[in-house]
């Protein structure tokens, strides 16, 4: 279900119900952007069959954040501004000043907005109150923050914190490559990136390439650290781990695909079954990954 994962930790037992959470989120329900709006963002029903803004299966919550953005390239605004400025110069006998040009640009932006194309994107958010995880299906922490800001605003004292581990992911991945030994239940795959810590930031990337231990060690000895590493957990899920603990390219392997294929008789049952399968296995993967990084820092432990 998720291709990416930005990971956060619930700091204490969370006994809020799906209905209560949906009530908190209701004022943030998505509404389409108006003619003069550059962007609109809000929660939508995760499924058409969902009963509200929170889809619940066995104490696992699924949310969906939708974002609509107007596509109005700055090059178009600047071009029209130059044309209008030239017309204005001919009318008044001198070129518009900085303030007048700024006002002209704002006016043109307002004029063009109703005719701008729009792009619509959505992001899954999975909340696991049982094991204490919140995961956003985002390739970058910045995009995940959009969902977190709304949640913090909607839910009083939302008990959430970024995951902080004893070992940094970059240092741990570098150690795994240097020792040619992955942590328990993990195997190293064929994609990695090593970057110099020097000012040059020299970077070496391996894509679908066998990682020769001696060659990798040479890069590490010259001052490079691993910033991205492809891994497989328990023969079930492959993914790429970043040095900021971002997880990308999540893929269920055949053993789980077979289980997923046998779930449910209709679309709703299959969706719920696949969600539970993903949530159950992903929560185990996250626990194993945190353990491989030395565990949580004391001030980030679950109460």
């Amino acid at each position: 279900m998720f291709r990416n994962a930005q990971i956060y930790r619930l700091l204490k037992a969370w006994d809020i119900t799906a209905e209560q959470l949906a009530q908190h989120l209701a004022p943030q329900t998505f509404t389409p952007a108006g003619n003069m709006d550059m962007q609109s963002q809000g929660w939508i029903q995760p499924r058409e069959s969902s009963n509200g803004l929170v889809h619940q299966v066995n104490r696992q919550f699924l949310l969906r954040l939708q974002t609509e953005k107007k596509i109005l390239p700055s090059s178009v605004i600047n071009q029209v501004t130059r044309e209008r400025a030239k017309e204005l110069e001919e009318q008044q006998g001198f070129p518009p000043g900085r303030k007048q040009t700024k006002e002209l640009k704002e006016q043109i932006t307002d004029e063009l907005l109703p005719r701008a194309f729009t792009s619509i994107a959505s992001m899954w958010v999975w909340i696991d109150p049982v094991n204490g995880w919140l995961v956003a299906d985002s390739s970058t922490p910045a995009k995940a923050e959009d969902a977190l800001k709304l949640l913090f605003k909607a839910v009083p004292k939302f008990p959430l914190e970024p995951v902080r581990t004893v070992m940094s992911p970059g240092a741990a991945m570098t150690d795994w490559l240097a020792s040619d030994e992955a942590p328990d239940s993990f195997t190293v795959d064929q994609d990695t990136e090593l970057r110099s810590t020097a000012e040059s930031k020299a970077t070496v990337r391996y894509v679908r390439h066998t990682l020769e231990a001696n060659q990798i060690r040479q890069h590490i000895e010259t001052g490079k650290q691993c910033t991205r590493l492809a891994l497989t957990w328990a023969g079930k899920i492959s993914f790429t781990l970043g040095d900021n603990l971002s997880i990308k390219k999540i893929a269920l392997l055949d053993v789980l695909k077979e289980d997923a294929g046998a779930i449910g008789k209709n679309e709703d049952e299959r969706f719920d079954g696949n969600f539970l399968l993903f949530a159950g296995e992903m929560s185990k993967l996250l626990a194993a990954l945190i353990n491989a990084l030395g565990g949580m820092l004391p001030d980030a432990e679950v109460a």
Side-chain angles (χ1 to χ4, degrees):
M1 295 184 63
F2 283 41
R3 288 288 293 162
N4 309 285
Q6 300 296 328
I7 312 163
Y8 304 89
R9 196 68 167 143
L10 292 170
L11 296 181
K12 60 181 180 180
W14 206 46
D15 57 2
I16 190 171
T17 66
E19 292 76 14
Q20 290 169 332
L21 180 56
Q23 289 175 2
H24 286 305
L25 300 181
Q28 299 173 343
T29 301
F30 174 81
T31 55
N35 284 342
M36 305 306 294
D37 297 325
M38 283 295 294
Q39 175 177 303
S40 180
Q41 195 168 61
W43 304 102
I44 61 173
Q45 289 183 204
R47 297 273 294 167
E48 288 185 5
S49 57
S50 299
N51 184 20
L53 297 177
V54 181
H55 190 77
Q56 177 185 356
V57 187
N58 287 6
R59 283 294 291 165
Q60 300 295 308
F61 298 162
L62 190 64
L63 315 179
R64 197 172 187 181
L65 181 68
Q66 183 154 296
T67 303
E68 178 185 3
K69 290 183 178 180
K70 297 287 182 67
I71 302 174
L72 190 55
S74 57
S75 58
V76 174
I77 297 173
N78 292 335
Q79 178 183 345
V80 177
T81 300
R82 286 193 295 270
E83 293 172 356
R84 294 280 184 87
K86 187 175 181 181
E87 295 173 2
L88 193 58
E89 180 180 356
E90 292 174 354
Q91 294 173 7
Q92 63 188 18
F94 57 89
R98 181 178 300 178
K99 181 180 178 182
Q100 195 174 19
T101 301
K102 181 183 178 182
E103 292 173 349
L104 188 61
K105 192 171 185 178
E106 292 173 351
Q107 176 187 338
I108 289 167
T109 300
D110 290 343
E111 291 176 5
L112 294 177
L113 264 178
R115 292 181 284 163
F117 290 104
T118 60
S119 68
I120 296 179
S122 63
M123 177 172 65
W124 295 106
V125 177
W126 160 44
I127 300 177
D128 177 3
V130 178
N131 298 291
W133 300 111
L134 183 146
V135 176
D137 185 6
S138 170
S139 60
T140 65
K143 290 182 179 179
E145 286 292 328
D146 289 344
L148 299 188
K149 288 176 183 176
L150 290 179
L151 285 170
F152 279 121
K153 185 177 180 180
V155 183
K157 298 180 180 180
F158 194 59
L160 196 70
E161 183 171 290
V163 174
R164 296 191 291 272
T165 54
V166 172
M167 292 183 67
S168 73
M173 292 188 295
T174 303
D175 286 348
W176 301 340
L177 290 175
S179 64
D180 194 24
E181 185 176 353
D184 290 344
S185 75
F186 291 92
T187 55
V188 173
D189 296 335
Q190 294 186 316
D191 289 18
T192 191
E193 177 182 276
L194 297 108
R195 183 177 301 161
S196 173
T197 55
E199 189 176 347
S200 66
K201 301 296 182 184
T203 302
V204 176
R205 295 185 180 92
Y206 290 82
V207 180
R208 292 187 294 277
H209 192 289
T210 301
L211 306 182
E212 299 290 348
N214 291 334
Q215 194 176 63
I216 294 293
R217 288 193 194 100
Q218 288 177 1
H219 288 302
I220 294 172
E221 288 169 0
T222 61
K224 292 185 178 68
Q225 279 208 334
C226 184
T227 56
R228 181 168 53 85
L229 183 63
L231 298 162
T232 293
W233 168 75
K236 295 180 178 181
I237 302 176
S238 66
F239 63 97
T240 299
L241 177 64
D243 58 0
N244 62 350
L245 203 56
S246 292
I247 294 176
K248 300 181 181 180
K249 298 183 179 179
I250 298 171
L252 304 186
L253 301 184
D254 289 344
V255 63
L256 289 184
K257 286 182 179 179
E258 292 174 4
D259 292 342
I263 292 173
K265 298 179 180 179
N266 58 52
E267 187 175 347
D268 287 335
E269 289 179 354
R270 285 193 294 271
F271 182 90
D272 287 353
N274 287 333
F275 173 44
L276 275 184
L277 177 66
F278 167 82
E281 297 298 333
M282 195 68 184
S283 64
K284 296 175 188 175
L285 184 159
L286 294 179
L289 180 60
I290 298 306
N291 184 61
L293 296 173
M296 306 285 287
L297 285 173
D299 64 346
E301 289 179 348
V302 180

